[in-house]
């Protein structure tokens, strides 16, 4: 009887290992897309955005950012994901090398224009509208639009995951930024020092809401990213936390 059990266990580990390798492979596979740019030479026009990050400089994202087309944006769940891009197949306009950017905005479709003449972000096109300083690292300004290869990469961040608490009593709206690893947050739970864990719902971008009364309690968070990894961050905010303040926890 031990032999069939050993075989079953071996098969289970084989399936798990294959799954891990498949997940890792997704991060290394190069895909084709196009890139344009926006925001001006100082990238001031990229501030704000549909991911909710606000001032990208103070949040640590800088000008290494992009707005994603519908095919990549995933209704906002891709906010915070990191990509490596390189210009290719256009020697007249391409610069050598690659860049790594973070998804911070949405590039909306323009159905009044055809997909190959201005409707660059129309479904089903995969498209990156880059902050101008990032675009100029891989392509010439006069090109306007270039073909690129891209792949998902792990995000490398300095410091821990940051939680900016907005809203009011019974409506806690928490902006989550500076997430390493997969970068894109897909689930969040919150726990007060006097409560159990409560699932938060995504309001917009990477703003997550809870309708529980959390005033006067230290706050802990569970953050799950698209790769299924969960960080449990205890006592991120002290009991005297205030709305409008940012608190830093651990990191992936």
């Amino acid at each position: 009887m031990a032999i069939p059990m050993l075989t079953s266990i071996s098969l289970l580990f084989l399936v798990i290992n294959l799954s891990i390798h498949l997940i890792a492979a997704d991060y290394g596979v190069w895909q084709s897309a196009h890139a344009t740019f926006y925001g001006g030479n100082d990238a001031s026009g990229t501030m704000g955005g549909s991911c909710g990050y606000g001032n990208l400089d103070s949040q640590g994202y800088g000008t290494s950012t992009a707005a994603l087309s519908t095919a990549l944006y995933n209704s906002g769940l891709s906010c915070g994901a990191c990509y490596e891009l390189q210009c290719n197949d256009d020697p007249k306009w391409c610069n050598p090398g690659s860049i790594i950017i973070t998804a911070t905005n949405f590039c909306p479709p323009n159905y009044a224009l055809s997909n190959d003449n201005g409707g660059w972000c129309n479904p089903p096109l995969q498209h990156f509208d880059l902050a101008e300083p990032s675009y100029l690292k891989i392509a010439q300004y006069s090109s306007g639009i270039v073909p690129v290869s891209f792949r998902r990469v792990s995000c490398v961040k300095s410091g821990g995951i940051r939680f900016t608490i907005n809203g009011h009593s019974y409506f806690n709206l928490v902006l989550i930024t500076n997430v390493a690893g997969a970068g894109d947050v897909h689930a969040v739970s919150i726990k007060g020092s006097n409560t159990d864990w409560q699932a938060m719902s995504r309001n917009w971008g990477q703003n997550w809401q809870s309708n529980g009364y959390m005033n006067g309690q230290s706050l802990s968070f569970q953050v799950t990213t698209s790769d299924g990894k969960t960080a449990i961050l205890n006592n991120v905010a002290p009991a005297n936390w205030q709305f409008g303040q940012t608190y830093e926890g651990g990191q992936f």
Side-chain angles (χ1 to χ4, degrees):
M1 295 299 293
I3 294 176
M5 183 179 297
L6 180 61
T7 302
S8 299
I9 293 173
S10 299
L11 287 173
L12 176 61
F13 277 111
L14 178 61
V15 170
I16 292 173
N17 286 333
L18 284 172
S19 299
I20 292 172
H21 285 306
L22 286 172
I23 292 171
D26 289 341
Y27 276 74
V29 176
W30 289 95
Q31 302 180 56
S32 297
H34 283 82
T36 49
F37 62 89
Y38 77 115
N41 58 10
D42 61 355
S44 58
T46 67
M47 299 298 152
S50 64
C51 291
Y53 294 141
N55 188 313
L56 300 177
D57 287 330
S58 62
Q59 295 288 11
Y61 298 106
T63 61
S64 298
T65 63
L68 306 186
S69 65
T70 300
L72 295 170
Y73 188 65
N74 195 18
S75 299
L77 283 173
S78 293
C79 290
C82 294
Y83 300 85
E84 182 179 9
L85 279 73
Q86 59 185 24
C87 182
N88 62 11
D89 298 329
D90 199 339
K92 179 180 178 181
W93 300 116
C94 288
N95 294 331
S98 65
I99 57 172
I100 294 177
I101 56 90
T102 303
T104 59
N105 204 354
F106 174 53
C107 181
N110 185 349
Y111 296 113
L113 299 175
S114 64
N115 290 9
D116 60 354
N117 188 25
W120 314 126
C121 290
N122 293 349
L125 300 180
Q126 297 188 128
H127 190 89
F128 294 85
D129 202 14
L130 298 170
E132 184 176 323
S134 286
Y135 184 89
L136 295 181
K137 291 179 180 178
I138 60 170
Q140 300 296 312
Y141 179 89
S142 299
S143 60
I145 180 172
V146 291
V148 296
S149 295
F150 76 95
R151 63 179 176 179
R152 277 288 299 272
V153 294
S154 293
C155 300
V156 178
K157 302 297 180 184
S158 176
I161 300 173
R162 298 177 192 137
F163 302 83
T164 302
I165 306 173
N166 295 303
H168 51 78
S169 300
Y170 296 104
F171 179 73
N172 306 289
L173 189 65
V174 181
L175 171 64
I176 301 177
T177 59
N178 202 54
V179 181
D184 50 347
V185 177
H186 279 211
V188 182
S189 294
I190 188 172
K191 181 183 183 302
S193 49
N194 298 325
T195 73
D196 293 325
W197 286 105
Q198 301 174 18
M200 304 183 76
S201 59
R202 193 170 64 91
N203 188 293
W204 65 282
Q206 284 298 352
N207 284 280
W208 296 77
Q209 76 176 67
S210 164
N211 296 326
Y213 185 77
M214 296 293 177
N215 295 31
Q217 304 177 60
S218 60
L219 302 180
S220 302
F221 295 92
Q222 291 183 356
V223 177
T224 302
T225 45
S226 61
D227 57 359
K229 294 182 179 179
T230 299
I232 301 175
L233 311 170
N234 293 313
N235 302 314
V236 172
N240 63 346
W241 61 267
Q242 299 291 319
F243 289 108
Q245 298 298 309
T246 299
Y247 302 91
E248 187 170 312
Q251 187 59 274
F252 283 98

